[in-house]
Amino acid sequence: MNKIIIIRPATIDDAPACAEIHCRGWEAAYAGLIPAETIAKKNAERPAAWPGYLASGKFDYYVAALEGNVVGFLSLREPEASENLPGCYFEVGGIYLHPSVYRQGIGRQLMAFAETKAHEKNKAAMMLWVFEDNASSRRFYEACGYRPDGAVQNHEYGKTLRSVRYVKEI
C-alpha cells in the first residue's frame, strides 16, 4: 500500500532523525553482511556526523515525512568524474528508510522523486551502488528498473565487500 509522504529538502534539524534512520537501516539491511562490531562502531559515530553530512554540500539530502515524522532520507548528486560516466547521469548516493516503514511504497516514492530531480537537472540516466550480496536491495532496485552495468568496486567494512553499479535510463 502506498502511503502519502512529503518529500522535502533536509535541514540541520533533521540530523537526529536521519542518524537514527541510518543506524536502524544499517542494522536491518547489513546484518550478516557487515560484521556486527563494524555496524556498532559506524552507528556510534552517526549522530555526531550527520550535521556535517547535511552541511557539506557533497550531496543534496531529502527526507521523507509520514504524518509529520521523518521516516527516510535520500541523497543525490552529480556522479564524481571517477565514475567514468557521461554527463547525462545523476547519482542516488543513498536511500534509507526506518525498518518500521519497509515495504509500504515509500522507497519507490523516493526513487521516483530522485528521477524527477534528475529530469529537473536535464539528466537522462541514473546510477547507484549496491553491495553485491545485498539481495533485498538489489531486488528493490531491479523492480524500479535499474540494472547492473558491470562496474564493481570493493569496500572495507571489517571485511571486503563488493559493490555493483546499477544504472537506469529515465
Side-chain angles (χ1 to χ4, degrees):
M1 155 178 102
N2 280 347
K3 297 200 175 207
I4 297 174
I5 61 167
I6 295 172
I7 302 171
R8 60 170 175 75
T11 68
I12 198 69
D13 292 338
D14 296 314
C18 289
E20 177 69 14
I21 291 161
H22 206 175
C23 290
R24 300 300 76 82
W26 264 56
E27 291 166 356
Y30 303 143
L33 186 61
I34 295 175
E37 59 274 7
T38 302
I39 292 172
K41 181 176 186 261
K42 294 294 265 181
N43 283 353
E45 298 166 355
R46 294 192 200 288
W50 262 93
Y53 295 160
L54 293 173
S56 74
K58 184 175 180 183
F59 286 93
D60 293 330
Y61 287 93
Y62 299 90
V63 293
L66 176 65
E67 298 173 357
N69 298 311
V70 174
V71 296
F73 69 85
L74 169 73
S75 61
L76 301 171
R77 72 174 176 184
E78 306 258 345
E80 294 181 340
S82 63
E83 293 291 342
N84 298 316
L85 291 168
C88 65
Y89 278 84
F90 205 53
E91 179 180 359
V92 174
I95 177 173
Y96 285 87
L97 297 175
H98 192 281
S100 67
V101 297
Y102 281 4
R103 294 175 181 75
Q104 295 181 28
I106 297 169
R108 284 187 181 260
Q109 289 180 61
L110 281 169
M111 293 302 286
F113 178 85
E115 292 172 15
T116 297
K117 286 296 182 189
H119 279 298
E120 289 173 4
K121 294 186 177 285
N122 297 313
K123 302 298 182 181
M126 302 291 296
M127 62 82 63
L128 56 86
W129 290 96
V130 60
F131 289 132
E132 184 174 55
D133 293 336
N134 188 342
S136 176
S137 291
R138 290 183 72 173
R139 280 191 304 274
F140 169 73
Y141 295 130
E142 289 168 7
C144 291
Y146 288 73
R147 298 292 177 258
D149 72 351
V152 297
Q153 57 183 219
N154 291 324
H155 305 276
E156 285 299 321
Y157 287 108
K159 69 178 193 178
T160 302
L161 294 173
R162 185 170 154 149
S163 290
V164 294
R165 186 170 66 192
Y166 271 54
V167 296
K168 176 184 179 180
E169 290 185 19
I170 55 173

